[in-house]
Amino acid sequence: MKEKKRCGWCEGDQLYEAYHDEEWGVPVYDDETLFEFLTLETFQAGLSWITILRKRENFRKAFDEFDYKKIASYSETKIQELLENEGIIRNKLKVRATVTNAQAFIQIQNEFGSFSNYIWRYVNGQPIQNQLTNYKKAPANTELSDQISKDLKKRGFKFVGSTVIYAHMQATGMVNDHEISCFRYKEVIP
């Protein structure tokens, strides 16, 4: 049986390959999943994605299944509990940023009807189709991720630099950065 051709960044790790095959680059329009990815991307800042992926279930449990309405009202006691949770990344600034980001996320929903409406308007609701021959040629950020990052920061979000935002765009399918030789490249095109 012939092995599927995947993007080079995920090869050799079952968890990475499953994430790549089932989630990465698939357009996401529901606010709950968008918030989950945004939270995970903020925790990834300065770390590898596989580190976050291996702790994803722990993050889900610790952060009430990424229920941004609950997270927005976390008490100091809950924040301290999170900072003692060895199953997640116990970065004080990132934990506090998650609470702040949940509050800002709700404000965007109130203004635009949903976070999805807000974020997808930057690409007119359709993924950007890149033509990468090698994942190493993917940019770390773009003018568009710079623009989104700047606007999110203005709206009170933390840990949403341009590189974090570009990774979020890749993960949630706003940009298709699968290698053109990857079996998923054409599958994720809407």
Side-chain angles (χ1 to χ4, degrees):
M1 188 171 123
K2 188 179 176 193
E3 185 68 22
K4 292 178 179 178
K5 172 70 175 109
R6 293 180 172 90
C7 297
W9 59 264
C10 73
E11 292 177 336
D13 184 291
Q14 285 185 327
L15 183 62
Y16 239 1
E17 288 178 1
Y19 169 70
H20 168 274
D21 293 359
E22 298 163 19
E23 293 183 83
W24 192 74
V26 176
V28 174
Y29 296 96
D30 70 277
D31 278 7
E32 291 73 19
T33 307
L34 287 168
F35 183 77
E36 176 178 352
F37 275 112
L38 188 61
T39 301
L40 293 173
E41 296 294 350
T42 61
F43 273 95
Q44 185 208 348
L47 302 169
S48 69
W49 181 244
I50 193 66
T51 299
I52 301 303
L53 210 50
R54 287 186 178 129
K55 293 179 177 279
R56 188 177 190 182
E57 289 307 314
N58 295 337
F59 274 105
R60 280 190 176 135
K61 288 177 191 150
F63 284 96
D64 292 297
E65 304 295 319
F66 296 106
D67 183 335
Y68 52 86
K69 292 174 185 161
K70 285 184 181 177
I71 295 168
S73 61
Y74 275 1
S75 66
E76 186 60 32
T77 302
K78 175 65 175 178
I79 291 169
Q80 291 305 316
E81 177 185 306
L82 289 166
L83 292 173
E84 293 175 18
N85 185 333
E86 294 180 4
I88 65 169
I89 306 299
R90 296 179 293 169
N91 180 301
K92 180 172 42 175
L93 295 176
K94 292 177 182 181
V95 169
R96 290 187 183 283
T98 303
V99 177
T100 300
N101 291 353
Q103 294 163 351
F105 192 89
I106 292 168
Q107 289 174 350
I108 284 180
Q109 286 180 317
N110 291 338
E111 183 176 344
F112 292 90
S114 71
F115 186 82
S116 181
N117 289 344
Y118 163 79
I119 199 81
W120 279 94
R121 72 189 171 96
Y122 283 101
V123 293
N124 297 317
Q126 289 296 313
I128 297 166
Q129 299 298 325
N130 286 335
Q131 305 266 319
L132 295 176
T133 55
N134 185 314
Y135 75 95
K136 293 177 182 176
K137 293 181 181 179
N141 59 299
T142 62
E143 285 184 27
L144 182 56
S145 66
D146 292 347
Q147 182 185 353
I148 297 169
S149 169
K150 186 177 179 181
D151 192 62
L152 287 171
K153 287 177 183 178
K154 187 177 79 176
R155 294 172 181 278
F157 282 80
K158 308 285 185 208
F159 283 92
V160 289
S162 188
T163 301
V164 166
I165 294 305
Y166 193 73
H168 185 258
M169 292 170 68
Q170 291 174 308
T172 61
M174 290 178 67
V175 59
N176 183 357
D177 272 352
H178 282 282
E179 295 171 356
I180 56 174
S181 61
C182 174
F183 82 99
R184 290 294 284 157
Y185 179 76
K186 288 184 179 165
E187 289 184 0
V188 299
I189 296 173

